[in-house]
Amino acid sequence: MRKFVVVLICSLAYQNSICQTKTDTLKLDLPSIEALFLPRNLQLISANYNIEIATALKEQASYWDNPVLNTDQSIYDGQFFKHTATRGQIFIQIQQLIKTAGKRNKLLLSYEDEILKSKEGWKELLRQLKFSITQAYLGLEQSQSYLTLNSNEAQLLSTLVKASEERYQKGYISLKELTRVQALQQLNSKERFDIQTEVLNQQQYLKALLRIQNDTFLVAETGSPIPVSKFTLGDYNSLLDSANKNRPDLNLAKLSAQQSLHNLNYQKSLVYPDITAGVEYDRLSSYLPNYYGLSISLPIPLFNKNKGNIKAASAQVLQQKVQTEDLQQSIEKEVWASLSNYLNVEKLLMSGAVVSTSMQEMMQKMTESYQNRQINFLEFIDFFQTYKESNKLIIDRKLLWWQSFAQLNYSTNTTLQIIK
């Protein structure tokens, strides 16, 4: 029986070791996460097919219409299909549609615009996703920094609770004071749980964008020092020029305006009728035994001169012009706001009080002073809150700078240089 129990325990332990999932840690900075993101994101892969679709549609529009074959022949004149040199009528005709007024070339210009729009649409999606993944990445780094801070506080509070319990057993402190110290530890545990939940949600979002396996743990690292880039309000015009040149949404609006103009020209060309020309052969059905003829047909633009479509296309040209101007003004305001916000953040970083790097040592000394009854509990709690908020301020200031810098990159669609 004892052998059976030993074998059972070993078997369960082995199965448990097999079932455990190994978790890999993947450390990523912003450049590496963008390089990893580009070839893996399904939205970008899907949007890339729009370019192939538009290219294929342009190719299809470039083809001529197929010729039309018409035939007519007698099947019975006393005998079925009796065709001789003097008997049995046969008619054969081949026709080809010929587009006039440059309709095919005008239509191809519109399809070419659609190809360019698909490319700019892909770039705009990339810009949006890069900004989203940057924000998510920065949020993950902030949460992980909070978690590290919380762990340091937990270690400190664990030591403090243990010492307070010993002091309570000796009668040096009251139960009320011990309970308040234990309550601090419980609050720290609840805060750690909330941060861990947020980290898991951020990990899930980033893994979905990057198509990373679920058993991989991401660690965000932008670097400890806050970089400084030398921008002033005088750089607004150059940044705006970069935005006007590089923003895919603006290029997309300009292409839509161009396409509407091409569509107007195409609608005007539809006023001119297309010609259907053909050659035909008729045997024993005309004044000649063998008749060879030329056929030409075209609709007469008497009732329908495409006026409605031309008016609609003209209105669309004006509409696209207004929308492009509106977007241009929005970009100007967005670049100005991004630059102003970035400069304000830099002023905050430059003028704000610098938190001492020895804050951890001071917290340790304050803990020892409290244990030695040199300060009371309220004084300890006050400094503990200051210690906690000061460390959070360091984390938040770093995040605030990176977010403002990311917004400036997003508004200009450029990768601005950083001077460290």
Side-chain angles (χ1 to χ4, degrees), residues 220-286:
E221 292 183 343
T222 57
S224 54
I226 297 179
V228 176
S229 57
K230 297 181 179 179
F231 289 113
T232 65
L233 289 177
D235 296 313
Y236 169 72
N237 289 331
S238 62
L239 292 173
L240 181 60
D241 290 340
S242 298
N244 291 333
K245 179 181 178 181
N246 299 318
R247 284 279 292 256
D249 54 343
L250 181 59
N251 294 335
L252 194 59
K254 292 178 179 178
L255 285 171
S256 295
Q258 177 178 287
Q259 188 179 35
S260 66
L261 185 59
H262 288 158
N263 180 58
L264 175 60
N265 295 332
Y266 175 70
Q267 295 299 329
K268 288 180 178 179
S269 70
L270 292 178
V271 175
Y272 301 95
D274 295 332
I275 298 174
T276 301
V279 293
E280 55 190 38
Y281 167 74
D282 193 348
R283 193 185 73 169
L284 301 181
S285 179
S286 182

Side-chain angles (χ1 to χ4, degrees), residues 105-121:
N105 290 334
K106 290 181 173 65
L107 185 61
L108 287 176
L109 287 176
S110 183
Y111 278 107
E112 181 65 29
D113 293 334
E114 197 63 36
I115 295 175
L116 296 176
K117 285 174 61 178
S118 299
K119 293 179 180 180
E120 293 300 324

Side-chain angles (χ1 to χ4, degrees), residues 4 26 31 64 71 84 96 105 122 137 156 165 174 195 199 222 274 291 308 312 315 327 354 359 361:
F4 173 77
L26 181 60
W64 280 64
T71 182
T84 65
Q96 176 66 51
N105 290 334
W122 185 90
Y137 173 86
L156 185 148
E165 288 174 348
S174 65
I195 297 173
V199 168
T222 57
D274 295 332
Y291 171 79
L327 180 59
V354 179
M359 182 65 72
E361 297 178 2

Side-chain angles (χ1 to χ4, degrees), residues 14-276:
Y14 175 76
Q15 291 179 5
N16 182 58
S17 64
I18 294 295
C19 294
Q20 287 180 348
T21 302
K22 182 179 178 181
T23 301
D24 296 327
T25 299
L26 181 60
K27 295 183 180 181
L28 295 172
D29 56 10
L30 279 174
S32 62
I33 204 171
E34 289 182 2
L36 187 65
F37 158 77
L38 185 60
R40 292 191 176 193
N41 186 264
L42 294 178
Q43 295 183 56
L44 289 174
I45 296 174
S46 176
N48 190 58
Y49 285 110
N50 290 331
I51 302 174
E52 294 187 24
I53 292 171
T55 303
L57 291 176
K58 180 192 175 184
E59 180 184 354
Q60 179 62 37
S62 65
Y63 296 141
W64 280 64
D65 295 284
N66 290 324
V68 178
L69 172 65
N70 295 315
T71 182
D72 182 15
Q73 52 186 299
S74 61
I75 61 173
Y76 181 77
D77 57 356
Q79 294 183 8
F80 286 99
F81 296 104
K82 187 65 175 180
H83 295 156
T84 65
T86 59
R87 185 176 180 178
Q89 184 263 341
I90 297 176
F91 174 79
I92 298 176
Q93 181 187 58
I94 297 179
Q95 292 181 316
Q96 176 66 51
L97 178 66
I98 302 174
K99 296 182 181 293
T100 61
K103 292 186 183 70
R104 179 174 284 103
N105 290 334
K106 290 181 173 65
L107 185 61
L108 287 176
L109 287 176
S110 183
Y111 278 107
E112 181 65 29
D113 293 334
E114 197 63 36
I115 295 175
L116 296 176
K117 285 174 61 178
S118 299
K119 293 179 180 180
E120 293 300 324
W122 185 90
K123 293 178 183 178
E124 175 61 15
L125 177 61
L126 175 62
R127 185 176 77 100
Q128 299 285 348
L129 289 175
K130 284 177 65 176
F131 184 68
S132 297
I133 203 171
T134 298
Q135 295 297 319
Y137 173 86
L138 294 174
L140 175 62
E141 186 187 28
Q142 181 190 39
S143 298
Q144 290 177 341
S145 298
Y146 281 164
L147 196 59
T148 301
L149 175 61
N150 179 273
S151 298
N152 294 334
E153 294 171 0
Q155 185 177 2
L156 185 148
L157 289 174
S158 178
T159 303
L160 181 61
V161 168
K162 183 178 180 180
S164 297
E165 288 174 348
E166 294 176 355
R167 291 172 60 82
Y168 171 73
Q169 295 295 333
K170 295 178 181 179
Y172 294 154
I173 61 175
S174 65
L175 178 61
K176 176 182 177 181
E177 188 168 334
L178 173 62
T179 303
R180 296 180 71 176
V181 174
Q182 292 173 335
L184 279 179
Q185 188 179 40
Q186 293 300 319
L187 289 173
N188 178 269
S189 298
K190 176 59 170 62
E191 185 179 89
R192 179 166 63 255
F193 173 80
D194 294 338
I195 297 173
Q196 288 173 339
T197 301
E198 182 66 20
V199 168
L200 288 175
N201 292 334
Q202 292 166 332
Q203 291 262 342
Q204 180 182 2
Y205 178 72
L206 283 172
K207 288 176 186 178
L209 287 177
L210 300 174
R211 297 175 64 193
I212 294 177
Q213 295 181 353
N214 293 328
D215 58 353
T216 301
F217 186 80
L218 300 179
V219 178
E221 292 183 343
T222 57
S224 54
I226 297 179
V228 176
S229 57
K230 297 181 179 179
F231 289 113
T232 65
L233 289 177
D235 296 313
Y236 169 72
N237 289 331
S238 62
L239 292 173
L240 181 60
D241 290 340
S242 298
N244 291 333
K245 179 181 178 181
N246 299 318
R247 284 279 292 256
D249 54 343
L250 181 59
N251 294 335
L252 194 59
K254 292 178 179 178
L255 285 171
S256 295
Q258 177 178 287
Q259 188 179 35
S260 66
L261 185 59
H262 288 158
N263 180 58
L264 175 60
N265 295 332
Y266 175 70
Q267 295 299 329
K268 288 180 178 179
S269 70
L270 292 178
V271 175
Y272 301 95
D274 295 332
I275 298 174
T276 301

Side-chain angles (χ1 to χ4, degrees), residues 2-3 31 73 109 213 318 339 353 377 396:
R2 294 178 61 185
K3 290 183 178 179
Q73 52 186 299
L109 287 176
Q213 295 181 353
L318 297 176
L339 178 59
F377 184 74
D396 292 344

